Amino acid sequence: MYIEQIVTSFIASAAFGMIFNCPKKALIQCGLAGMVGWVLYIWLQDIGVQRLTATVVAAYCVTMISYIFAKTYRTPIIVFSVSGIIPLVPGGLAYDAMRNAVENQYNEAVQSGAEAFMMSGAIALGLLLSEVTNQVIRKMRTSKL
């Protein structure tokens, strides 16, 4: 089961990098960032962690990995983080919300829409926490020098 998830999340992230004209030399790293985030997300869910918490942790890790790749390959961090976050985006939930709204099933539409909204907020929280961590690390390095 994990092999399929690993391969498909890598391809999805790398393909999203291609769509957004990432440098060719960065596509492998884009795929790796997305793959690590997705595998962490599904593994956390398998061990019983709630979906929102798993999303925050996975988004945090994707952004930290993107930061490392950005430093290593001297490429803007957004190249890796946007492609890496793509597997975590709740597109299926948003689709279900819209489909249920069109079919006049408003209770299910509101439930799916609220869950998609909370998942999006969890991704944003993971990105924010990672950025704060990076700034603290940077500040500690500059204060030592």
Side-chain angles (χ1 to χ4, degrees):
M1 176 185 143
Y2 277 100
I3 297 297
E4 294 170 358
Q5 300 286 335
I6 288 170
V7 171
T8 53
S9 62
F10 180 87
I11 291 171
S13 297
F16 200 79
M18 290 173 66
I19 289 172
F20 280 95
N21 291 327
C22 290
K24 287 182 183 175
K25 64 180 183 177
L27 290 177
I28 299 293
Q29 290 81 19
C30 291
L32 287 173
M35 179 185 73
V36 169
W38 182 252
V39 169
L40 182 63
Y41 172 75
I42 60 170
W43 178 73
L44 286 173
Q45 283 191 334
D46 284 349
I47 63 171
V49 175
Q50 288 189 350
R51 201 177 205 182
L52 289 176
T53 307
T55 303
V56 171
V57 172
Y60 179 85
C61 288
V62 165
T63 310
M64 291 302 286
I65 290 168
S66 299
Y67 179 75
I68 293 168
F69 284 155
K71 284 287 187 185
T72 305
Y73 298 104
R74 298 190 184 275
T75 306
I77 188 170
I78 197 159
V79 169
F80 305 110
S81 64
V82 169
S83 298
I85 289 294
I86 286 302
L88 299 173
V89 172
L93 284 172
Y95 173 79
D96 286 342
M98 293 305 296
R99 184 176 49 89
N100 287 328
V102 168
E103 293 174 353
N104 295 330
Q105 297 172 344
Y106 297 114
N107 287 337
E108 292 84 6
V110 168
Q111 189 174 10
S112 296
E115 192 173 352
F117 183 73
M118 288 190 299
M119 296 280 288
S120 301
I123 290 171
L125 181 63
L127 294 172
L128 178 71
L129 291 175
S130 171
E131 182 58 31
V132 169
T133 303
N134 287 331
Q135 286 188 6
V136 168
I137 290 170
R138 239 182 276 146
K139 195 167 247 179
M140 287 173 46
R141 284 184 181 165
T142 56
S143 66
K144 285 184 179 178
L145 297 175

